Amino acid sequence: MRSARVFFGHLPLAFRLALREMRGGLRGFYIFMLCILLGTAAIAGVNSVARSMTSAIDAQGQEILAGDLRFGLKNRDASVDELAYIKSLGKVQLSTNLRSMVRSGDKSTQALTELKAVDGAYPLYGTFTAEPDQPMQDLLAEKNGTFGAVAQPLLLDRLGVKVGDTILLGDMAMTVRGTIVAEPDALSDGFSFAPRLVVSRDALTRSGLVKIGSLVDNFYRVKLDDPTRGRRDIRKEAEAKFPEAGWSVRGSSNAAPSLSENIERFSEFLTLVGLAALAAGGVGVANAVGAFLDSKRQVIASFKSLGAPGHLIVMIYMIQILAIAAIAILAGLVIGAAITPIAGYFLEGYVPVPRGLNLYPSALGIAALFGLLTTIAFSILPLGRSRLIRATELFRSQSYDGWRMVPLRYYISAAAAFLLIALLAVFSSENRFIALVFLLATAGAFVVLRLVAAGVALIARRAPKVTSPALRLAIGNIHRPGSLTASVVLSLGLGLTLLASLALIEGNLRGNLAGAMAEKAPNFFFVDIQSRDLDRFRSVLATTSPKGEVVEVPMLRGRILAFNGEDVQKRSIDPAARWVLQGDRGITYSQALPTNATLKEGQWWAKDYSGEPLVSFSAQEAGELRLKIGDTVTVNVLGRNITAKIANFRKVEWRSMSINFVMVFSPNTFKGAPHAWLATLTDGHSTTAADGKVMREVTNAFPGITSVRVKDALDVASNIVAQLAVAIRAAASIAIVVSVLVLAGAIAAGNRARIHDAVVLKTLGAKRTMLMRAYLYEYFLLGLSASVFALAAATAAAWYVMIAIMDLPFSFLPGTAASTVILALLVTAGTGLLGTWSILGQKAAPVLREL
């Protein structure tokens, strides 16, 4: 109690002295401020942009969904009773989405398209815009015996047609009457693998594309008669009235859940990258505080000579540091908030974004907390050491020795600040496991980097003497007290590790997509093959690709509703396995174990099995969903709920890109159920021209079969990875910028001692060129040390991500390694020489007078 009274009793005095001393300006704290500013701005900007997009999605929910509610059904129309219930809610609009092939009028070219067929009520909300700007129903209507269509320009380019030309949908000729400019519900439909083609529902019916087992999505959108009625209440009522409907009911408040979730995930990742930049900047904070206290040693000596207790000195300078940090944090928040409208300008047309400047207090608050806690965490120990210095030591010492031990309470306080940073990062992230792994990896990197710095200094200390004076001086500079070794290795090592890790992961992903996966993957997937066409389909492939291997399996669609009778929506699901439960999954049945899978646990059913429905589950996903042999899975297929017992687990090689399913059922489960077939064609000797011939012959013979060329799909995925990598690298480069600032700050802090050394050496006959070579050798060796660690750590991190998380092969990329080393050398040598250039021209007389 007494110590607390003394502490708070000194607080007003500490404030007065701190504010009075700050009249001298912010000199010595510019690097400090930039480190905190950049990290705070990165976190504030990323979170603000994410909040702006998700809030825009919420605000524009009706337009994005094109309705107040959407009832989605797979592979079937609503029954009479279901449709009557939907119509009782308000005005109804029906759209049908499917993937299909579309051909030019002369059948010479074909392309995959995301087909949307709409009725006359489309859209209930928002505006569909085409070029020419005419009413949609006029563009799609039947005129002179021919229906119209509007398409995205990319589709017309692939077909080699233009507005006014004829295209073939199935075997039906249609006229392209316009191009799509804006489609209100495009985001709610999810990711589009191919360009869009919009036709009328009547045209789709006439085309004959929708057959038994066709993979179609029917969306019944509703404009409620009572807009105030709760969407969740309607959803619960619909599920209670029609428990086996198997429909997905989505409200305007959740118009694009996949997009919102991806935005959140991406922003969380970039927030962690920003936090890494703050962590790297923390080294600069510690350096700046240490240098600041070194410059204030005369003042501290005066305080102590006048009887000031140690905790009063700590309070004075902590107040100053927090005040300066507050200025940097505020500037970072301003920049972060300003990023939102700038990002909105570039993102407009791709995702919903609000117009103008919008502030998001939660995003800014999290960024401010990160900046404040980082400042405190890295300032406590340098401040604690200041109270241990006696007045006589300060007056006699040329520089402040920052390596003295401090009382235990300072270490505990610093640890508590770091723990708060970790808790804030983990609990503000949806995927807490990833956040925790990232933080542990960053903490581990700091510890290892510190050991690396000590090891480099030890090697330099024990290195044999060399004949070159410049190199001998450089080696001495690496291990002498107050050297740059720890600062350079810590800050630059962390930034390079982050950047190199991302580069290795991106390179391996793109390499797998273009290399190993492309080599193992089949040439084509063929979807919606009717049973009656199967033999003729095989004959066409045998003619066009005689050396190709054809594999076909029955294909249905089903949505998992429950495990062991428990609604999956009420279960806590591992984020890695959520995709299994999102929407409908492809399912199949088989008498025998698939050739591309191995049995891991349990027994396969007999060929003539006729008992209760059984299912084989993918072992990896079953583990993530915490399932075991004997559990039951309830799946809705074609409006029927089917419950099957898990008989075994299979190891599935997803990266082979062959036909794989999470669930394979016993054949008796779907006896008599209508379905289509899925097939693959694999021909390792096929060329692009041969693939084009296969697609053309199959499409012309079977207009209803959808042909997906796997190489095209891999190219799309590779382009997406490349685009994401640009954004991620841009965020990660902040860590490199901060590392440069830390390095510049460390050089500036050590310039006082280097000036004395340079003057003495020049007095003894050393030339400026020799000193320049010495500094260059020093920075070269430090940059090389940091890059070697960064490469080792980045390789380990990228290996873990590729092997353990993505289940993909990993290979070391020499180009990335070389660029990492070159970047490290350029950063250290360039920054070092710029920072020490003024030392080389320092006149000897003024310095010698002070010695």
Side-chain angles (χ1 to χ4, degrees):
M1 291 294 292
R2 182 178 178 277
S3 60
R5 286 197 301 271
V6 171
F7 177 85
F8 287 107
H10 285 147
L11 199 56
L13 176 60
F15 264 107
R16 288 199 305 272
L17 293 174
L19 294 177
R20 185 174 299 171
E21 194 173 354
M22 287 179 66
R23 295 173 183 173
L26 303 177
R27 186 178 179 183
F29 275 97
Y30 296 120
I31 300 296
F32 171 105
M33 294 179 67
L34 283 172
C35 290
I36 297 298
L37 184 151
L38 285 174
T40 304
I43 296 174
V46 166
N47 281 282
S48 293
V49 172
R51 296 288 190 278
S52 71
M53 288 189 288
T54 53
S55 63
I57 291 172
D58 293 340
Q60 302 172 34
Q62 289 179 322
E63 289 79 7
I64 293 172
L65 193 65
D68 293 315
L69 278 172
R70 192 189 77 177
F71 292 79
L73 287 169
K74 294 280 187 180
N75 309 329
R76 71 179 185 91
D77 294 329
S79 67
V80 174
D81 292 339
E82 291 168 349
L83 185 57
Y85 170 74
I86 295 173
K87 288 184 175 180
S88 71
L89 300 173
K91 185 178 180 180
V92 178
Q93 184 273 318
L94 172 60
S95 298
T96 300
N97 291 13
L98 68 153
R99 288 193 178 105
S100 179
M101 303 302 294
V102 60
R103 296 173 288 168
S104 60
D106 60 3
K107 301 182 181 180
S108 61
T109 57
Q110 59 285 315
L112 181 66
T113 182
E114 297 279 354
L115 181 65
K116 173 185 283 187
V118 299
D119 61 15
Y122 177 83
L124 296 175
Y125 291 98
T127 303
F128 183 94
T129 308
E131 178 61 41
D133 188 9
Q134 298 177 9
M136 185 175 185
Q137 301 313 315
D138 291 345
L139 294 172
L140 304 184
E142 184 178 14
K143 297 177 182 178
N144 301 320
T146 304
F147 285 99
V150 290
Q152 288 184 331
L154 178 60
L155 181 60
L156 301 186
D157 291 342
R158 290 181 178 179
L159 292 173
V161 300
K162 60 184 183 300
V163 174
D165 288 348
T166 298
I167 59 174
L168 296 175
L169 186 64
D171 283 324
M172 184 178 68
M174 306 186 72
T175 301
V176 179
R177 294 192 182 137
T179 56
I180 298 172
V181 176
E183 184 184 356
D185 55 333
L187 290 176
S188 66
D189 287 342
F191 172 73
S192 294
F193 178 74
R196 175 76 77 192
L197 178 69
V198 179
V199 301
S200 67
R201 282 272 305 169
D202 292 338
L204 177 62
T205 303
R206 194 88 57 87
S207 71
L209 287 177
V210 180
K211 300 174 182 177
I212 293 175
S214 294
L215 301 181
V216 299
D217 294 304
N218 286 314
F219 296 124
Y220 296 83
R221 293 178 172 85
V222 182
K223 185 176 184 179
L224 294 174
D225 290 335
D226 181 8
T228 62
R229 190 174 177 187
R231 277 54 165 176
R232 291 186 179 180
D233 294 338
I234 296 175
R235 177 179 176 177
K236 291 179 180 179
E237 181 183 81
E239 292 176 348
K241 282 180 175 290
F242 305 96
E244 295 196 352
W247 51 26
S248 61
V249 185
R250 185 184 296 178
S252 56
S253 61
N254 189 32
S258 296
L259 177 61
S260 298
E261 185 175 346
N262 288 332
I263 290 171
E264 289 295 331
R265 286 178 178 175
F266 196 59
S267 67
E268 286 175 7
F269 178 76
L270 292 183
T271 297
L272 292 175
V273 172
L275 185 57
L278 261 181
V283 180
V285 170
N287 289 342
V289 172
F292 175 70
L293 293 174
D294 182 35
S295 68
K296 293 291 182 180
R297 66 189 187 279
Q298 301 268 350
V299 178
I300 296 173
S302 299
F303 280 143
K304 289 204 168 187
S305 298
L306 295 173
H311 68 265
L312 177 60
I313 294 173
V314 172
M315 288 169 61
I316 291 171
Y317 292 106
M318 177 58 86
I319 290 170
Q320 292 186 42
I321 289 167
L322 291 179
I324 294 170
I327 297 172
I329 290 170
L330 182 60
L333 296 181
V334 171
I335 294 173
I339 290 174
T340 307
I342 297 173
Y345 174 80
F346 290 101
L347 293 172
E348 191 172 9
Y350 297 96
V351 293
V353 288
R355 294 183 179 275
L357 178 64
N358 295 273
L359 299 180
Y360 301 93
S362 61
L364 300 178
I366 289 175
L369 274 176
F370 274 128
L372 179 62
L373 290 173
T374 300
T375 301
I376 294 173
F378 284 94
S379 300
I380 288 176
L381 293 183
L383 283 168
R385 292 188 183 104
S386 67
R387 65 174 296 161
L388 301 180
I389 307 302
R390 299 183 184 92
T392 54
E393 291 177 347
L394 284 169
F395 278 122
R396 292 171 184 168
S397 179
Q398 285 288 345
S399 63
Y400 170 56
D401 181 6
W403 290 104
R404 296 185 63 180
M405 294 293 293
V406 300
L408 181 62
R409 61 180 177 273
Y410 287 93
Y411 291 105
I412 294 174
S413 299
F418 282 117
L419 179 61
L420 287 174
I421 293 173
L423 291 175
L424 180 61
V426 170
F427 286 102
S428 63
S429 174
E430 182 181 351
N431 195 326
R432 295 176 179 175
F433 175 76
I434 297 295
L436 183 60
V437 169
F438 187 91
L439 290 171
L440 290 176
T442 303
F446 258 100
V447 173
V448 175
L449 281 167
R450 193 73 188 184
L451 294 176
V452 169
V456 170
L458 181 62
I459 292 172
R461 186 178 298 112
R462 296 187 176 180
K465 290 184 179 181
V466 294
T467 56
S468 169
L471 183 57
R472 188 162 62 247
L473 180 60
I475 294 173
N477 286 342
I478 290 174
H479 67 78
R480 72 176 186 176
S483 70
L484 297 176
T485 304
S487 297
V488 173
V489 173
L490 274 173
S491 60
L492 190 59
L494 188 61
L496 284 174
T497 299
L498 180 61
L499 203 62
S501 298
L502 296 172
L504 285 170
I505 292 170
E506 181 216 348
N508 273 273
L509 273 176
R510 298 183 69 179
N512 276 288
L513 290 171
M517 291 178 67
E519 291 175 3
K520 295 179 181 179
N523 299 65
F524 285 97
F525 274 86
F526 300 99
V527 186
D528 283 350
I529 307 168
Q530 298 299 304
S531 297
R532 65 176 180 272
D533 296 330
L534 197 54
D535 290 336
R536 195 159 60 96
F537 170 76
R538 294 171 183 155
S539 177
V540 171
L541 289 186
T543 303
T544 55
S545 182
K547 296 182 179 179
E549 178 186 356
V550 181
V551 177
E552 66 260 349
V553 296
M555 174 79 166
L556 299 93
R557 303 287 290 183
R559 170 175 296 182
I560 298 176
L561 300 180
F563 294 125
N564 297 320
E566 181 187 3
D567 188 344
V568 294
Q569 302 296 328
K570 299 178 180 178
R571 289 173 65 103
S572 176
I573 303 297
D574 187 322
R578 287 179 186 171
W579 67 273
V580 179
L581 309 178
Q582 291 174 344
D584 286 52
R585 301 256 66 80
I587 57 177
T588 190
Y589 61 84
S590 177
Q591 286 186 344
L593 176 69
T595 57
N596 59 347
T598 55
L599 200 63
K600 191 170 183 180
E601 185 180 350
Q603 299 294 324
W604 198 263
W605 45 80
K607 289 186 177 181
D608 57 351
Y609 178 78
S610 59
E612 68 173 313
L614 299 177
V615 62
S616 172
F617 218 95
S618 170
Q620 180 179 342
E621 283 67 34
E624 293 167 347
L625 292 167
R626 301 191 303 277
L627 299 176
K628 60 183 183 298
I629 301 294
D631 287 349
T632 62
V633 180
T634 301
V635 183
N636 185 276
V637 181
L638 297 173
R640 286 185 55 202
N641 289 350
I642 297 173
T643 299
K645 184 173 72 174
I646 298 177
N648 57 72
F649 295 138
R650 308 172 341 273
K651 182 179 180 181
V652 178
E653 291 291 339
W654 295 109
R655 66 187 182 191
S656 70
M657 296 196 69
S658 56
I659 298 178
N660 287 306
F661 295 88
V662 173
M663 295 176 290
V664 177
F665 288 82
S666 56
N668 63 310
T669 306
F670 304 114
K671 189 174 182 179
H675 62 78
W677 290 74
L678 170 70
T680 60
L681 171 66
T682 305
D683 185 353
H685 302 286
S686 181
T687 62
T688 302
D691 284 349
K693 181 181 178 182
V694 169
M695 181 180 288
R696 183 169 57 255
E697 294 298 326
V698 170
T699 304
N700 287 333
F702 307 97
I705 294 179
T706 302
S707 305
V708 180
R709 187 168 179 253
V710 175
K711 186 180 184 304
D712 295 336
L714 293 176
D715 288 343
V716 171
S718 182
N719 289 335
I720 292 173
V721 170
Q723 291 169 8
L724 291 175
V726 171
I728 293 172
R729 284 188 180 183
S733 63
I734 294 176
I736 294 295
V737 174
V738 170
S739 298
V740 173
L741 291 174
V742 173
L743 178 58
I747 291 171
N751 272 356
R752 180 172 182 169
R754 287 176 179 263
I755 289 173
H756 292 156
D757 294 343
V759 166
V760 171
L761 288 170
K762 285 198 294 183
T763 302
L764 296 175
K767 294 183 179 180
R768 181 180 298 187
T769 54
M770 191 276 284
L771 293 177
M772 184 182 297
R773 288 200 310 274
Y775 292 140
L776 187 60
Y777 291 155
E778 178 187 355
Y779 302 137
F780 179 87
L781 292 173
L782 290 178
L784 189 62
S785 302
S787 62
V788 168
F789 167 80
L791 272 179
T795 301
W799 176 89
Y800 176 79
V801 170
M802 297 301 298
I803 299 295
I805 298 178
M806 296 185 177
D807 194 26
L808 292 171
F810 172 80
S811 59
F812 183 73
L813 305 177
T816 301
S819 61
T820 301
V821 173
I822 292 171
L823 179 62
L825 296 179
L826 288 175
V827 167
T828 50
T831 307
L833 288 179
L834 286 174
T836 54
W837 185 259
S838 61
I839 294 174
L840 302 177
Q842 184 72 41
K843 293 183 178 180
V847 177
L848 293 174
R849 290 193 195 103
E850 295 179 0
L851 293 178

